[in-house]
Amino acid sequence: MRTEDLIHFCAPGRLIIGNGSRHQLPQLLARLGYRSGVLVTDAFFAEKTPWVKEYTEAAERLGISTIIYAGGLPDPTTGLCDEATAVLRDQLAGKQPDHVIALGGGSNIDLAKALTLTLPHGRPIAEFAGDIGGCRPLPLIALPTTSGTGSEATPGAILLDPANATKIAVMDNALRPQIALIDPEFTYTCPPRVTADAGIDAFTHAIESFLTLDSALFERAGNPDPGYSGRSPLTMLFARESMRLCFAWMERAYQQGDDTEARVGMAYASIYAALSYGTAGLNAGHGIAYAVAGQTHKSHGSTNAVMLPYVLDALCETRQSELAEIAQMMGLATACPEESARRVPVAVRAMIERLDIPSDLKAFGIEEETLDDLIADALAVTRLAKAFPVADATLAYRQIVLNAWDGHLSGQP
């Protein structure tokens, strides 16, 4: 316990985890009184898996009608959300749904979150950017099919604005799902590349939130119900367990996709990471990764991965004790806390390389002449820069990016 902590912890209304747990969802929704829903997914899950049909038929037998929207895409745009809103409102023909279900990865869940706001009145999603203004979204039920994004436990939806190629955040605790149902069986058929990208995303969430700004120092701008509010012993508890599970199961799930124990382990790692970062928030790792994605258009997990070792290296002084603790988890600890801390970024980079992800910006395809623009774009995500626990974020970001381009870590031999 730290007497200065200011804990404001939010989580899904119900959290259900277990193999085959998806089969209990229709009965649960009927018990809660839901009768008319919209299921948001993509063409793959609607056409190539039995999951959508199994759910809708079981729900129908219990008196729950469901309209399917299978137009989900990676990195959903504001335009896709507005288009989906129009299509669904036309299908609903004036009838108001009483819940929205998301089936898929983080992109489908983000789209579904946005639709909980736009479906009732047909307003464009851009009107909800930032604070949703006290609007009450439709209840959301999230069924993640990857072990990584944690969107089933977070307060925000991230959408791409095609007008300026930047991402907008629609943010409020009311957007956290009423039910987050984690069925590890959904992940059993994830291909290796998706498994690796999702897994390193979960690990990044855990370690970044473990090292982020303390709750007593976090800027809340007078908001009595902040979506993110800094780390506390409670969020760090979840982050520790997530990291432990990632160390045990992430590489195994990538290398042996049919290892159900590893799949279950990573399902737990992902939701525990989400319960940490979904309140504590993130910082430079994600902030710079967004800028890297803007230049390369590569996956979110891989852009996080390429930056993570260098961000950790920048925290070896201000978060030495925490990094030494992580070194202990990884079997790297020495009698010297400073040496232990500096071993972690090197070991994390080696882990990323074993997942076949490039581990420096040069190998990732970033041109040296674009580094200044990349730094500026990263710093423009001010909420993440402000949460980076260093004395001078601007200086730290520059050094991180330069080190990441050169592949330099202070603890390397």
Side-chain angles (χ1 to χ4, degrees), residues 190-239:
C190 273
R193 186 73 271 134
V194 175
T195 299
D197 282 359
I200 202 66
D201 194 21
F203 177 69
T204 303
H205 291 152
I207 197 168
E208 223 178 311
S209 62
F210 188 71
L211 302 172
T212 200
L213 200 64
D214 290 333
S215 62
L217 302 174
F218 199 91
E219 183 178 311
R220 304 186 186 195
N223 186 350
D225 188 28
Y228 298 111
S229 53
R231 71 172 189 171
S232 70
L234 180 57
T235 64
M236 294 172 77
L237 180 152
F238 287 113

Side-chain angles (χ1 to χ4, degrees), residues 66-90:
T66 311
I67 292 175
I68 308 301
Y69 179 80
L73 295 171
D75 295 319
T77 64
T78 54
L80 175 64
C81 179
D82 292 343
E83 176 187 309
T85 301
V87 168
L88 286 167
R89 282 176 61 82
D90 185 61

Side-chain angles (χ1 to χ4, degrees), residues 133-181:
C135 292
R136 298 189 65 177
L138 296 170
L140 176 66
I141 297 92
L143 283 65
T145 57
T146 62
S147 296
T149 71
S151 296
E152 68 277 7
T154 63
I158 307 298
L159 303 173
L160 186 66
D161 183 354
N164 54 21
T166 60
K167 291 186 175 181
I168 67 165
V170 181
M171 199 75 64
D172 197 276
N173 282 321
L175 291 175
R176 295 182 195 265
Q178 293 300 302
I179 301 170
L181 189 150

Side-chain angles (χ1 to χ4, degrees), residues 23 33 47 158 190 235 268 298 335:
H23 298 301
E47 298 169 9
I158 307 298
C190 273
T235 64
Y268 275 89
K298 293 185 179 180

Side-chain angles (χ1 to χ4, degrees), residues 94-118:
K95 186 177 180 181
Q96 190 71 255
D98 56 25
H99 66 284
V100 175
I101 299 174
L103 173 68
S107 292
N108 288 353
I109 297 174
D110 279 355
L111 177 60
K113 284 181 180 177
L115 288 168
T116 65
L117 289 167
T118 61

Side-chain angles (χ1 to χ4, degrees), residues 131-386:
D131 192 315
I132 68 172
C135 292
R136 298 189 65 177
L138 296 170
L140 176 66
I141 297 92
L143 283 65
T145 57
T146 62
S147 296
T149 71
S151 296
E152 68 277 7
T154 63
I158 307 298
L159 303 173
L160 186 66
D161 183 354
N164 54 21
T166 60
K167 291 186 175 181
I168 67 165
V170 181
M171 199 75 64
D172 197 276
N173 282 321
L175 291 175
R176 295 182 195 265
Q178 293 300 302
I179 301 170
L181 189 150
I182 290 84
D183 187 338
E185 290 180 1
F186 281 139
T187 72
Y188 285 4
T189 56
C190 273
R193 186 73 271 134
V194 175
T195 299
D197 282 359
I200 202 66
D201 194 21
F203 177 69
T204 303
H205 291 152
I207 197 168
E208 223 178 311
S209 62
F210 188 71
L211 302 172
T212 200
L213 200 64
D214 290 333
S215 62
L217 302 174
F218 199 91
E219 183 178 311
R220 304 186 186 195
N223 186 350
D225 188 28
Y228 298 111
S229 53
R231 71 172 189 171
S232 70
L234 180 57
T235 64
M236 294 172 77
L237 180 152
F238 287 113
R240 280 189 192 92
E241 182 63 5
S242 177
M243 287 187 284
R244 187 188 68 79
L245 290 166
C246 285
F247 294 141
W249 304 115
M250 181 166 59
E251 293 180 56
R252 198 158 134 186
Y254 173 56
Q255 294 161 358
Q256 304 172 44
D258 60 351
D259 187 327
T260 57
E261 190 176 14
R263 292 292 192 182
V264 173
M266 285 308 298
Y268 275 89
S270 177
I271 185 60
Y272 290 158
L275 291 171
S276 177
Y277 96 88
T279 286
L282 301 166
N283 49 66
H286 272 66
I288 303 174
Y290 288 150
V292 173
Q295 289 194 15
T296 64
H297 305 291
K298 293 185 179 180
S299 72
H300 179 62
S302 65
T303 53
N304 277 337
V306 73
M307 294 311 308
L308 182 59
Y310 309 97
V311 171
L312 298 179
D313 203 44
L315 294 174
C316 281
E317 291 186 13
T318 59
R319 291 291 185 259
Q320 183 182 108
S321 63
E322 291 89 342
L323 285 164
E325 181 181 346
I326 295 168
Q328 186 75 41
M329 292 185 208
M330 300 180 80
L332 304 170
T334 71
C336 174
E338 180 181 359
E339 181 184 350
S340 297
R342 294 199 183 279
R343 287 184 171 194
V344 172
V346 178
V348 167
R349 183 169 67 181
M351 181 174 69
I352 288 164
E353 290 171 345
R354 292 193 296 271
L355 295 172
D356 299 311
I357 300 171
S359 59
D360 63 68
L361 288 178
K362 195 182 301 182
F364 208 71
I366 295 291
E367 300 293 335
E368 187 172 15
E369 58 269 22
T370 68
L371 294 182
D372 284 343
D373 289 340
L374 191 151
I375 294 165
D377 290 345
L379 286 167
V381 188
T382 55
R383 66 182 177 87
L384 297 179
K386 287 179 180 178

